[in-house]
Amino acid sequence: MTLGELRGQPHAVRCLVNALETGRVGHAYFLYGPPGTGKQEAAIAFARALNCEARPTPSSACGACRPCTDLERGILPEFLELGPEEDSDRGRSFHTETISKAIAWAARRALTGRTKACVMRDVHLMSHEAANHFLKMLEEPPPATVWLLLAPDPEAVLPTVR
């Protein structure tokens, strides 16, 4: 799916398309809305467009080049998708270990020289400790890395991350 094919999120799509078309891509984007509103699809379409080698338009991906097909198959090294873990001791949340792994991934140089994109689902479930650990990465982002943070409600995300 491309950004142009998404329906129901005109403002978010317009912001992402504008970033791609102007070449002024930020280091983080926060997409929120109830489940089923297309946050994850928009984030993945944006990541695909960032890494496409043969963009038919500045804001879409071809779907056929190696980065596009590798992302679709889940093997693109410049793409990482994370969500909260289930843990009987701590409940469903992002653990500091997961955030540490994401930070280590972001610190490594992209293999293809393209932009790395990390989609983080349900960031409202970050523990305070994990959120504070992640905050350092948001404040001092590595070059050519984009964080796409997803949550159902902006108020549920810690203000320092939001």
Side-chain angles (χ1 to χ4, degrees):
M1 176 176 286
T2 66
L3 288 169
E5 295 170 333
L6 292 170
R7 298 291 174 247
Q9 297 292 330
H11 178 69
V13 169
R14 191 169 42 255
C15 289
L16 296 174
V17 166
N18 186 45
L20 290 164
E21 290 179 348
T22 62
R24 296 177 50 144
V25 176
H27 71 280
Y29 293 88
F30 180 40
L31 306 173
Y32 61 88
T37 56
K39 299 177 298 295
Q40 187 168 348
E41 291 82 2
I44 293 171
F46 187 68
R48 188 175 291 122
L50 283 171
N51 283 286
C52 181
E53 292 176 339
R55 287 188 202 165
T57 69
S59 61
S60 66
C62 71
C65 69
R66 185 174 184 147
C68 284
T69 57
D70 283 356
L71 192 147
E72 193 67 34
R73 293 175 34 215
I75 60 169
L76 182 68
E78 284 75 29
F79 181 73
L80 181 64
E81 189 171 2
L82 302 172
E85 299 90 7
E86 288 289 341
D87 188 323
S88 60
D89 295 335
R90 297 184 264 191
R92 187 168 176 249
S93 69
F94 276 93
H95 302 160
T96 305
E97 301 85 26
T98 302
I99 299 301
S100 293
K101 288 177 187 174
I103 289 170
W105 168 84
R108 290 190 302 269
R109 199 169 140 245
L111 295 176
T112 63
R114 312 230 14 113
T115 302
K116 295 169 76 171
C118 179
V119 175
M120 297 179 75
R121 298 180 316 274
D122 296 329
V123 295
H124 64 291
L125 296 176
M126 273 191 199
S127 67
H128 284 278
E129 184 179 87
N132 287 332
H133 189 51
F134 182 64
L135 187 58
K136 287 187 180 236
M137 179 60 64
L138 281 178
E139 291 172 342
E140 299 174 23
T145 301
V146 175
W147 300 94
L148 297 146
L149 311 177
L150 314 179
D153 176 18
E155 298 302 317
V157 177
L158 289 175
T160 53
V161 172
R162 188 178 60 235

